[in-house]
Amino acid sequence: MDNSELWLTLILFVYFLHMMVAGKHIPTTLEGPFKPVTHRFDPSFRKGSDDLPMNHPRLAKKVTSIFPEQIALALSTPTSMWVSWITGDAQIGPKVTPLDPSTVASEVWFGKKSGNYPFIQKGVASVYSQLYPFEGLLNYTSGIIHHVKLQGLEPNTRYYYKCGDSSLSAVSDEHVFETLPLPSPSTYPGRIAVVGDLGLTSNSTTTIDHLINNDPSMILMVGDLCYANQYLTTGDRGASCYSCAFPDAPIRETYQPRWDGWGRFMEPLTSRVPMMVIEGNHEIEPQAGGTTFKSYIERFAVPSDDSGSNGSFYYSFNAGGIHVIMLGAYVDYNNTGAQYAWLRKDLRQLDRSLTPWLVAAWHSPWYNSYSSHYQEFECMRQEMESLLYQYKVDIVFSGHVHAYERMNRVYNYTLDPCGPVYITVGDGGNIEKVDTDHADDPGKCPSNGDNIPEFGGICHLNISSGPGRGKFCWDKQPEWSALRESSFGHGILEVVNSTYALWTWHRNQDIYKENSHGDQIYIVRQPELCPTTFKSVSLSTG
C-alpha cells in the first residue's frame, strides 16, 4: 500500500469515526448478506407523469440553424475526449431531403485557460434518416451530427473549449470539462452518476436537477434514453403503453424530434460532464427493411475502437482505478458470438493492480424481483454470468425495471460473498411510470409466457432452492434482494480507494431534504477471499 492509499484509508477511517460520533451508521457489504427489505410505493406520489411538450423551454431550440447545439462529451481514453454536437435543422414530413454534412466543418478549439485555445482538432459529420414507407407515417432526417475526438489531453486537467465552424462564424459559447485520472489504484473520479430509463417527463427534470446538484464527474446512462418510440411519427402525445394506445400501428413508430429535445434537455450537463451510454430496448427503433438502432448509433460517440469492440453496442473504458464494461443486451450475447469473445479478451487483458475496481453495466437486469421483466433476460445471464464471476466483477448496474433494487452479493441465484453487487436503477423518470408490483406479491407472479425479451431467447427457470423451490416465483422477497423500493431517482458511486466505494441512491422525493436518501452502503472489495478458479453453473429449467 503506497502513501496515497494509506492517506485515503486514514480519511475513510476518520469519516467512519465521525459518522459513529454523529450517531449515523452507514452499513458495508461486510455486514451482509442483509435481510431483505421492501419500501412500498408511497401513494402520496404519482406513479408517473406526462412527457414534456416539445415547446417546453428545456427542449426548444435556442440557436439559429448553423450554430452548434446538443453538445455532449464522452470519454475515449484517459487522455482523449469525444465532443459531439448537431448543426442545421432536422426535417419531418412525407418527404425529407437530407442535409449535406460536408457543408459545415467539425472543429473544436481547446486549451487550459479560458478564452485561450491553442489547440484545434477536426472530426467527422453525418446525417441519418428514419424512413417509413407506410401511408400516413412521416419520415425524418436529422441535422448534421458532428463527432470530434480530442487527443493528447493531460489527465486530471481542466480544459476550455468551443466547437463549430470558424469559416461560417458559427461557433458555440465556451464550455469546460475536466479529464479523469490515469489508471491507478489510488486515483478515482469524484462522483459517478448512474441513471437509467430517463425519458423526458417532469420526473426526468427532477432527476437531472437533483443529479446536477450532486456535481458528478461522469455519468453512466444504462439505456432507454429519450423514449421517442412512445410516439407516433406525427408527434401528438406520448403513451405510457404504446401497444395499448396504438394497436393498429403498421410498425413501431418513433417521433425523432424527441431525440433533439432530449439532446437540448441534457446539454447543460453533458457539455461539461462526459456521459457514457449503452443501448436499451427503446433505442431499437425498427424501420422497414430491418434497420435498427440508427439514432443511437449516429448520435453517440463511444470508445469502441479504443477498447477493441466492433461497434457501439458494447465497449469498455478506464476511469482512474475503475475499469468499466458496457455490455449489449440487444445484440448477440451467446458464448459463441463476437460480444462474448470481445468480453473474454477484455477481461483477460485487465491489470487489477492498476484498475482494482471492475464495474459492468447493461440495460436489462439479470436479478430482479419485480413482476415487470421478471427473468426476461435469463438467457443472457446463463451465457455470461460465469465469465463475469470468474473475473471478479465488483458491481453491476442495470435499468429496464422502473424501480430501485440492490442485491446482496449473488451468483447463480445463490448468496455468494464473491458475487457482484447487482443494482437496478431503471427509474430515471420516464413516461412508462414506476413499477410497484413484486413477483412474490400474491397474484403478481408472471406466467412462463410473460416477459418475452425483444431480443434473444426464453430461458425461464423454476427455483431450485429456498422458500420458492420448484416454483417460478419466490413466496417472499428473495434472499438475494437486499433492498427494493418504487421511486424515481438516480445513484451516485464514490470510489474512495481500492477497497471501499460509497453507493448512494437519491430518491426524487428527497431532493428538498438535506442529506436524505433512499439507500446508502459502502461496497467493500475482498479479492483475497475469492478464488480465481472458474466456478461452473448448475441450472434447473422450468
Side-chain angles (χ1 to χ4, degrees):
M1 184 180 290
D2 60 23
N3 290 335
S4 58
E5 188 87 351
L6 286 170
W7 179 247
L8 285 168
T9 303
L10 178 61
I11 293 174
L12 184 62
F13 173 77
V14 172
Y15 181 75
F16 278 141
L17 186 63
H18 172 73
M19 290 295 102
M20 291 175 65
V21 171
K24 179 181 179 181
H25 171 67
I26 300 176
T28 77
T29 51
L30 299 178
E31 302 166 43
F34 299 94
K35 183 179 179 180
V37 173
T38 297
H39 296 162
R40 295 283 175 179
F41 180 72
D42 186 342
S44 66
F45 295 101
R46 295 180 60 191
K47 291 184 179 180
S49 58
D50 293 336
D51 270 349
L52 301 177
M54 286 300 297
N55 61 0
H56 189 280
R58 293 174 71 154
L59 276 62
K61 189 169 184 176
K62 301 178 180 64
V63 299
T64 55
S65 178
I66 60 174
F67 278 82
E69 63 154 0
Q70 305 179 49
I71 301 169
L73 303 171
L75 296 176
S76 187
T77 69
T79 58
S80 58
M81 182 81 73
W82 284 104
V83 182
S84 303
W85 68 94
I86 293 180
T87 56
D89 294 320
Q91 306 162 47
I92 188 164
K95 295 182 179 180
V96 294
T97 303
L99 299 174
D100 181 358
S102 66
T103 60
V104 182
S106 307
E107 302 171 327
V108 177
W109 303 266
F110 59 103
K112 297 179 186 177
K113 295 182 179 180
S114 177
N116 185 13
Y117 318 110
F119 310 110
I120 182 173
Q121 193 77 52
K122 297 184 178 182
V124 297
S126 65
V127 299
Y128 76 92
S129 299
Q130 187 87 7
L131 305 175
Y132 300 107
F134 299 98
E135 184 177 354
L137 274 61
L138 302 182
N139 296 314
Y140 170 92
T141 188
S142 70
I144 299 172
I145 302 170
H146 305 262
H147 298 299
V148 176
K149 185 178 180 181
L150 308 186
Q151 303 187 71
L153 304 176
E154 296 180 17
N156 270 338
T157 302
R158 174 171 292 188
Y159 284 91
Y160 300 84
Y161 74 96
K162 290 186 175 185
C163 58
D165 184 340
S166 59
S167 68
L168 300 176
S169 299
V171 179
S172 72
D173 292 336
E174 181 181 83
H175 297 280
V176 62
F177 67 83
E178 292 187 13
T179 54
L180 297 187
L182 290 173
S184 164
S186 58
T187 56
Y188 298 92
R191 294 182 181 90
I192 300 174
V194 188
V195 190
D197 302 67
L198 183 60
L200 273 175
T201 71
S202 58
N203 279 310
S204 312
T205 303
T206 305
T207 297
I208 292 302
D209 288 347
H210 200 175
L211 190 156
I212 290 173
N213 189 59
N214 281 325
D215 192 24
S217 52
M218 185 177 76
I219 309 158
L220 292 183
M221 189 69 66
V222 293
D224 284 2
L225 309 181
C226 82
Y227 288 78
N229 72 340
Q230 295 301 107
Y231 282 76
L232 299 179
T233 61
T234 51
D236 302 321
R237 293 180 63 85
S240 59
C241 172
Y242 183 92
S243 60
C244 308
F246 314 119
D248 300 322
I251 192 172
R252 180 65 182 257
E253 298 177 36
T254 174
Y255 185 60
Q256 287 293 296
R258 299 297 293 182
W259 275 111
D260 296 307
W262 197 82
R264 296 167 194 141
F265 175 80
M266 295 295 292
E267 182 181 326
L269 178 62
T270 59
S271 60
R272 62 181 180 84
V273 178
M275 178 178 67
M276 311 307 291
V277 301
I278 199 68
E279 74 280 1
N281 55 299
H282 285 272
E283 279 71 70
I284 298 175
E285 297 185 317
Q287 299 180 58
T291 300
T292 55
F293 292 106
K294 193 66 175 176
S295 311
Y296 170 80
I297 292 171
E298 295 292 337
R299 288 177 180 268
F300 298 101
V302 300
S304 51
D305 290 342
D306 294 302
S307 61
S309 170
N310 63 1
S312 301
F313 299 117
Y314 50 89
Y315 59 91
S316 66
F317 62 93
N318 291 321
I322 310 169
H323 186 71
V324 182
I325 297 171
M326 308 288 273
L327 297 179
Y330 298 92
V331 293
D332 183 13
Y333 47 69
N334 291 316
N335 60 22
T336 57
Q339 179 174 199
Y340 190 94
W342 168 85
L343 174 61
R344 183 170 52 199
K345 181 179 180 181
D346 190 84
L347 291 170
R348 285 176 175 172
Q349 293 174 341
L350 273 182
D351 183 350
R352 298 297 282 271
S353 68
L354 284 177
T355 54
W357 285 90
L358 180 53
V359 173
W362 57 86
H363 183 59
S364 311
W366 295 348
Y367 290 93
N368 162 41
S369 66
Y370 286 81
S371 299
S372 179
H373 306 300
Y374 179 75
Q375 282 201 18
E376 185 176 297
F377 271 74
E378 180 63 19
C379 289
M380 185 183 180
R381 184 193 72 82
Q382 293 179 23
E383 293 291 328
M384 288 186 157
E385 185 180 26
S386 295
L387 187 60
L388 297 186
Y389 181 89
Q390 178 186 0
Y391 284 91
K392 302 180 184 179
V393 170
D394 298 300
I395 310 171
V396 173
F397 293 111
S398 295
H400 203 42
V401 177
H402 301 159
Y404 175 75
E405 188 167 19
R406 172 174 53 83
M407 317 307 160
N408 286 310
R409 292 192 179 275
V410 60
Y411 173 69
N412 192 31
Y413 292 110
T414 303
L415 296 177
D416 189 321
C418 298
V421 174
Y422 290 83
I423 301 174
T424 301
V425 291
D427 43 358
N430 66 83
I431 196 175
E432 290 185 318
K433 303 181 180 180
V434 69
D435 287 321
T436 59
D437 295 333
H438 307 111
D440 49 275
D441 290 338
K444 298 299 182 181
C445 178
S447 71
N448 275 303
D450 293 332
N451 297 333
I452 306 301
E454 294 181 68
F455 179 87
I458 302 172
C459 302
H460 294 331
L461 297 178
N462 283 343
I463 298 161
S464 58
S465 63
R469 184 174 182 177
K471 300 179 180 179
F472 185 46
C473 296
W474 286 62
D475 297 331
K476 59 181 180 181
Q477 185 174 357
E479 61 185 5
W480 39 261
S481 174
L483 174 65
R484 62 188 184 186
E485 74 167 34
S486 301
S487 62
F488 289 114
H490 73 282
I492 296 288
L493 181 69
E494 300 171 79
V495 177
V496 181
N497 56 27
S498 62
T499 304
Y500 282 84
L502 179 64
W503 167 255
T504 306
W505 169 247
H506 293 275
R507 300 179 298 195
N508 281 358
Q509 59 259 41
D510 294 328
I511 189 171
Y512 301 113
K513 300 176 184 178
E514 186 177 358
N515 296 323
S516 180
H517 43 71
D519 184 29
Q520 191 169 53
I521 189 170
Y522 278 101
I523 298 173
V524 184
R525 299 183 63 249
Q526 292 182 288
E528 69 281 357
L529 300 182
C530 300
T532 56
T533 56
F534 181 78
K535 187 171 183 178
S536 62
V537 179
S538 176
L539 301 176
S540 173
T541 57

